[in-house]
Amino acid sequence: MTEKEFIPASYTALNDEGIVAYCSPSNIALIKYWGKRENQIPANPSISFTLDACSTTTRVHYKKRIHKNDEFSFDLFFEGEAKEEFQPKIKTFLKRIEKYMPFLKDYHFVINTSNTFPHSSGIASSASGMSALALCFMEMERGFDKNITLEYFNQKASFLSRLGSGSACRSIQGPLVQWGESDAVEGSSNLFGIKYPYEVHPIFNNYHDTILLVDKGEKQVSSTVGHDLMHGHPFASNRFKQADTNVEKLKIVFSKGNLDEFINIVESEALTLHAMMMTSNPYFILMKPNTLSIINSIWKFREESKTHVCFTLDAGANVHVLYPENEKDIVFPFIKDKLISFCQNGQYICDRIGLGAKKL
Ligand code: PMV
């Protein structure tokens, strides 16, 4: 698939008015995407668990404009309220995808969007938010061109989401998604995420992710700045190679269900992401003291309980605690008793691996 194949030839029917709606989840990377080239092309392949509970619901009402001009026309409501501050981000997104969705300036859009997770929880809403909006536009396109196949729909939805926010391209499908070219994964692409194409051991069914909200503030470093810091980073090329190797290693883990090896790869990826930020210039420490306390408690408990609980991190202080379904009765009580006290206002979110976006 090349970029050109996402430029539509012509549409058979363009509706004057309609409503499209999607619920799209967030995702958590096991192998991290950190560093990109122009046009949101990742510097290395990444693999994620699609989440289930953390999601964005977006409803788009579209209506043909009578007086079309060279501007996009839309109103944006977040949780029922007009949000001026989100407008520039949406405008940039529309500009980036216009080439592939040539009808965008023909319509006025009323976009209503809301998240299941609390606002400013420190959980990035860009993956679920951008993918939900991309899916709504794809649904419009599907209405205009009845020949669109499901495979094309998913690929292009992911392709458009990527142009909004890189990691958003991993939110269309589930339970596991790979984005970025890798010799180890057939069909993988830098342009869009694909559903992980190999058999996955049943131990990963219903895998849990309890998200501990350690710091609910604004992100200290935006991901745009973070990705940029990988240009000229002294360890960048080795880091990108490491991610390639980890994709190969994880492939074996997924087929065999070896959780010790899974833990080793996933925790190392999380700490490497943070190590890249500590060793860039300017440098950042995005963990908080409570992040470290949680990590140490998880290590201690894992040793004592002989369970397979582990952690991963985003580019922030919150901790994603991962564990298999068959250990939840031992691990969840530990989380409640020992880890919640490290969360800001005791807040956490119980999530698990999910199957991808849903049309409403
Ligand atoms: O999609 P972005 O540009 O916000 O980057 C996300 C980067 C990480 O969340 C830190 C890692 C990842 O692969 O999701």
Side-chain angles (χ1 to χ4, degrees):
M1 213 53 185
T2 63
E3 251 181 77
K4 281 210 183 89
E5 288 168 77
F6 292 123
I7 301 175
S10 62
Y11 297 120
T12 44
L14 287 162
N15 300 346
D16 284 347
E17 191 172 359
I19 293 178
V20 281
Y22 262 88
C23 172
S24 191
S26 186
N27 67 75
I28 180 69
L30 304 170
I31 295 184
K32 307 290 180 183
Y33 147 61
W34 199 241
K36 62 177 166 185
R37 308 203 299 267
E38 231 186 316
N39 293 329
Q40 309 272 91
I41 296 298
N44 64 261
S46 57
I47 297 185
S48 52
F49 271 162
T50 303
L51 295 181
D52 187 47
C54 290
S55 64
T56 298
T57 294
T58 298
R59 223 168 271 277
V60 176
H61 174 239
Y62 60 94
K63 192 171 180 183
K64 260 261 169 74
R65 291 165 77 184
I66 301 167
H67 304 293
K68 183 184 158 181
N69 58 24
D70 209 33
E71 296 291 315
F72 296 107
S73 175
F74 67 92
D75 299 314
L76 181 81
F77 297 89
F78 177 69
E79 279 157 21
E81 279 178 34
K83 279 276 176 197
E84 289 287 316
E85 62 267 41
F86 290 176
Q87 297 246 353
K89 215 173 174 185
I90 304 291
K91 243 183 227 164
T92 306
F93 179 51
L94 294 175
K95 249 188 233 159
R96 284 187 193 162
I97 65 169
E98 190 188 7
K99 188 170 154 194
Y100 311 99
M101 298 252 122
F103 58 81
L104 290 175
K105 281 190 181 139
D106 296 337
Y107 290 90
H108 175 73
F109 300 107
V110 179
I111 305 168
N112 271 288
T113 186
S114 58
N115 294 337
T116 52
F117 45 92
H119 189 47
S120 23
S121 57
I123 304 247
S125 58
S126 57
S128 54
M130 286 298 171
S131 54
L133 188 55
L135 281 157
C136 287
F137 291 138
M138 269 317 288
E139 197 55 41
M140 277 182 77
E141 184 168 270
R142 179 149 63 183
F144 304 162
D145 179 358
K146 306 284 183 249
N147 297 322
I148 286 180
T149 62
L150 182 61
E151 189 189 12
Y152 181 85
F153 181 94
N154 284 333
Q155 286 184 352
K156 186 164 172 183
S158 175
F159 172 85
L160 298 175
S161 305
R162 185 194 103 240
L163 296 174
S165 167
S167 58
C169 79
R170 297 187 312 236
S171 280
I172 308 297
Q173 291 174 281
L176 275 165
V177 175
Q178 149 106 29
W179 167 42
E181 276 168 28
S182 155
D183 290 341
V185 180
E186 223 182 304
S188 56
S189 168
N190 283 338
L191 300 179
F192 48 82
I194 59 163
K195 190 169 154 57
Y196 193 71
Y198 305 113
E199 216 170 307
V200 175
H201 192 280
I203 192 72
F204 295 103
N205 292 348
N206 219 7
Y207 223 78
H208 290 257
D209 178 5
T210 304
I211 309 166
L212 305 180
L213 306 179
V214 172
D215 182 23
K216 305 195 296 155
E218 279 279 302
K219 272 196 187 173
Q220 211 189 106
V221 186
S222 73
S223 36
T224 311
V225 171
H227 289 295
D228 266 0
L229 287 171
M230 290 302 277
H231 292 293
H233 190 296
F235 307 132
S237 66
N238 278 336
R239 157 61 197 150
F240 302 146
K241 271 188 217 138
Q242 179 197 38
D244 276 327
T245 312
N246 279 344
V247 167
E248 284 168 30
K249 286 188 185 167
L250 208 50
K251 186 175 168 182
I252 302 164
V253 167
F254 282 140
S255 77
K256 298 228 155 58
N258 180 344
L259 288 184
D260 292 330
E261 185 62 10
F262 175 77
I263 290 168
N264 186 272
I265 296 167
V266 168
E267 291 190 344
S268 162
E269 277 287 322
L271 294 177
T272 302
L273 168 71
H274 281 253
M276 289 299 113
M277 283 179 273
M278 287 186 212
T279 49
S280 59
N281 206 339
Y283 39 80
F284 298 95
I285 299 180
L286 302 185
M287 293 187 210
K288 297 281 179 212
N290 280 355
T291 312
L292 285 177
S293 300
I294 290 169
I295 291 174
N296 281 315
S297 305
I298 288 175
W299 283 345
K300 185 164 175 276
F301 175 76
R302 185 164 73 217
E303 180 66 34
E304 288 163 5
S305 64
K306 306 284 174 234
T307 57
H308 298 90
V309 57
C310 74
F311 72 88
T312 186
L313 307 164
D314 259 338
N318 296 336
V319 183
H320 289 248
V321 187
L322 305 176
Y323 48 100
E325 167 78 9
N326 64 2
E327 293 179 1
K328 72 171 190 297
D329 293 340
I330 309 170
V331 176
F332 189 62
F334 152 72
I335 293 175
K336 271 181 92 173
D337 289 351
K338 296 282 188 303
L339 303 185
I340 300 306
S341 56
F342 296 118
C343 298
Q344 207 173 348
N345 305 326
Q347 269 190 292
Y348 64 99
I349 299 171
C350 287
D351 211 336
R352 60 179 65 196
I353 197 164
L355 296 178
K358 292 182 202 92
K359 185 180 162 188
L360 302 174

